[in-house]
Amino acid sequence: MTEGGLNTMLGFLPKVVILLLLIVLLGFFNEKITKFPYEISLMLFSIVISMIMLIFDSALRSTSISELLSNLQVFNLEALLMEGVLCFMLFAGSCHMRLLDFKKHARPITMLSVVATLLGAIFYGSLFYAGASLLGLPFSFPVCLMFGSITAPTDPIAATSILKKFNLPKDISFIMEGESLFNDGVGVALFVCFSGMVTMQENGSFLAVMGKELFGAVLVGILATAICFPIFALTKDGNRRIFVSLLAVSMAYVLCEHFGFSGAIASVVCGISFSALCNRREQKGQPLDLEEFDTFWEILDNLLNSVLYVIMGLTFVHILQIPHVLLLSCLAIIFNLIGRFSSVGLAAFFAGKLPSGYDKLSFVKLLTYGGLRGGLSIALAMSTREMVSADTYSIILGSTYAIVFFTTVVQGLTMKQVYQKIEKGLSK
């Protein structure tokens, strides 16, 4: 089949059908046979499928399968995340967060989401700069710091959907989820600062950017909730409550995009605000019927996650074929673990007393290994296309993919064993 015929065959709806087919079949196979965590299975099996297809492609001396895999990238992943579904994913992850628990753990969550993310970007960028220099690659220090800001934020989607399956202590689990929900805005602010250094643009100091990204987003999130929640509370129609929540989070995200605030933070603020106001009504003896609301957001979150992980899996093999990427990806994974351990260690020193009987070292080990990366890192890496050379862009994107794969699949699959070993050490 010609390339034009292939593109014609794979219009939008056929691509969606193929993606849904993969999601259903891979999920069913995992449910009955392998029984891995759901998101891990989708990414892992998608990578395996793409590798098998490329091997057949090479054996048949054809390019049709390579074209097919390229065409299966239904959306521009950066646009899909940053301009589309990320706000809904973040709202879904935060709309059931208990505000009282957040107040209880505000200090460690703040230290981890702000201090650890900042230090992680600096440590990781410095290590990657040293490694690139030893290999003779022309990476400037600002580019490496920008790379560090891309990989520093942990992924809220992975944290809430994977880590909760391992029966972590409630307080520790909440801190890890809270960190991953709030460090997105810090990571984006750092990315703006360091990318400004790369492109020689005046984006302001870190504190100025953080003030704009963080406080502006919080204000927009609260404003969107204040406008929409009264309708949410007064209506008795379950479907309308869903529509109101969709309106609130999408409106907050669009306003942040317009004013240059962090849409990610605004989405989280909307979710937490909705949760807090619902809990407040329940405490006053005026509970809302949220069964349809909860079911909708759980299903939507699962679907969007599934599409994201399948697309990332299908794209992964192509990325690793880029020159220098495989070696630098291995270094990136090692540097990421070192940078995460160092930054979390320093942040934990100022985090105060830790819950569930954890000492500082055990806490740092758990958060280092539980620092999963995801779609935001991929989206930020893709947004550097116009800032750096083609070779540098390929290395940044490929190394980011490698870190996301390693943290999601390797660390995700072994997280339970690591947690059990830490717990065993605490009980001695």
Side-chain angles (χ1 to χ4, degrees):
M1 181 177 293
T2 65
E3 183 176 354
L6 184 64
N7 287 326
T8 300
M9 182 188 75
L10 287 179
F12 176 81
L13 189 56
K15 291 176 183 177
V16 172
V17 170
I18 293 175
L19 278 178
L20 289 176
L21 179 65
L22 287 172
I23 290 169
V24 170
L25 293 181
L26 294 179
F28 183 75
F29 176 81
N30 181 65
E31 177 189 351
K32 299 299 182 182
I33 306 298
T34 52
K35 303 185 186 303
F36 293 147
Y38 176 68
E39 293 80 2
I40 294 176
S41 70
L42 289 182
M43 178 182 282
L44 183 60
F45 294 145
S46 296
I47 292 173
V48 172
I49 288 174
S50 63
M51 291 179 64
I52 292 173
M53 293 176 72
L54 288 175
I55 290 172
F56 274 104
D57 209 26
S58 177
L60 296 173
R61 297 182 180 180
S62 168
T63 60
S64 59
I65 296 179
S66 298
E67 294 171 6
L68 175 64
L69 288 176
S70 297
N71 276 275
L72 279 177
Q73 296 171 34
V74 182
F75 309 98
N76 178 301
L77 196 55
E78 177 192 353
L80 173 69
L81 289 167
M82 301 300 284
E83 301 173 14
V85 304
L86 182 64
C87 61
F88 301 120
M89 289 178 164
L90 293 172
F91 183 89
S94 58
C95 66
H96 300 114
M97 178 175 281
R98 291 176 57 93
L99 190 60
L100 291 177
D101 288 340
F102 176 75
K103 290 180 179 178
K104 179 181 176 183
H105 303 298
R107 183 175 176 180
I109 289 175
T110 301
M111 295 303 300
L112 290 168
S113 59
V114 178
V115 177
T117 306
L118 171 62
L119 293 176
I122 295 173
F123 291 162
Y124 179 81
S126 301
L127 288 169
F128 196 82
Y129 177 72
S133 299
L134 290 175
L135 294 175
L137 297 175
F139 274 62
S140 67
F141 190 57
V143 167
C144 292
L145 288 177
M146 181 178 69
F147 189 18
S149 69
I150 290 171
T151 58
T154 55
D155 181 53
I157 298 154
T160 55
S161 60
I162 293 176
L163 295 178
K164 67 182 181 182
K165 295 180 174 65
F166 299 136
N167 297 319
L168 297 174
K170 179 183 175 182
D171 289 341
I172 293 294
S173 179
F174 188 88
I175 290 173
M176 296 177 73
E177 292 177 15
E179 177 209 3
S180 63
L181 282 168
F182 282 97
N183 66 11
D184 282 349
V186 180
V188 172
L190 289 171
F191 178 78
V192 171
C193 290
F194 294 142
S195 62
M197 294 169 59
V198 172
T199 56
M200 304 301 291
Q201 295 175 352
E202 294 295 329
N203 285 315
S205 67
F206 172 73
L207 291 178
V209 174
M210 272 302 297
K212 183 179 179 181
E213 288 278 343
L214 179 60
F215 297 112
V218 171
L219 181 61
V220 169
I222 293 173
L223 178 63
T225 304
I227 293 172
C228 295
F229 190 82
I231 303 175
F232 183 91
L234 292 173
T235 185
K236 296 185 181 300
D237 189 305
N239 290 335
R240 190 165 294 110
R241 287 199 178 107
I242 293 171
F243 300 157
V244 170
S245 64
L246 287 168
L247 172 63
V249 65
S250 56
M251 178 171 62
Y253 199 86
V254 168
L255 287 174
C256 285
E257 288 293 301
H258 177 74
F259 291 110
F261 305 149
S262 171
I265 289 294
S267 302
V268 173
V269 170
C270 272
I272 293 176
S273 298
F274 266 72
S275 176
L277 291 172
C278 288
N279 289 336
R280 185 178 179 182
R281 286 182 63 91
E282 185 175 354
Q283 291 172 357
K284 289 183 175 181
Q286 302 171 331
L288 298 173
D289 183 4
L290 300 178
E291 183 177 355
E292 293 179 359
F293 173 84
D294 292 338
T295 301
F296 170 81
W297 280 106
E298 182 179 353
I299 293 172
L300 182 63
D301 188 36
N302 191 282
L303 174 62
L304 296 178
N305 272 315
S306 299
V307 172
L308 172 63
Y309 279 100
V310 168
I311 293 177
M312 289 168 59
L314 292 175
T315 310
F316 183 76
V317 175
H318 282 294
I319 297 294
L320 290 184
Q321 294 175 339
I322 300 171
H324 303 298
V325 162
L326 189 58
L327 175 59
L328 281 173
S329 294
C330 295
L331 291 177
I333 291 169
I334 296 171
F335 295 158
N336 173 65
L337 288 171
I338 296 173
R340 173 73 177 168
F341 181 85
S342 303
S343 61
V344 171
L346 287 175
F349 183 78
F350 300 98
K353 185 178 179 181
L354 300 174
S356 304
Y358 270 68
D359 57 69
K360 299 288 186 184
L361 182 58
S362 299
F363 182 73
V364 171
K365 288 179 180 178
L366 182 63
L367 265 72
T368 298
Y369 208 77
L372 311 184
R373 308 307 197 276
L376 179 65
S377 294
I378 297 294
L380 291 177
M382 287 180 168
S383 68
T384 64
R385 184 188 298 272
E386 305 299 327
M387 304 178 192
V388 294
S389 67
D391 290 341
T392 300
Y393 170 74
S394 297
I395 291 173
I396 288 176
L397 184 60
S399 299
T400 304
Y401 259 94
I403 290 173
V404 170
F405 168 77
F406 183 83
T407 58
T408 302
V409 176
V410 179
Q411 291 179 208
L413 284 175
T414 55
M415 183 67 203
K416 185 174 183 179
Q417 289 79 5
V418 171
Y419 164 65
Q420 290 174 341
K421 187 174 181 179
I422 292 173
E423 284 287 299
K424 186 177 180 180
L426 289 173
S427 62
K428 289 182 179 179

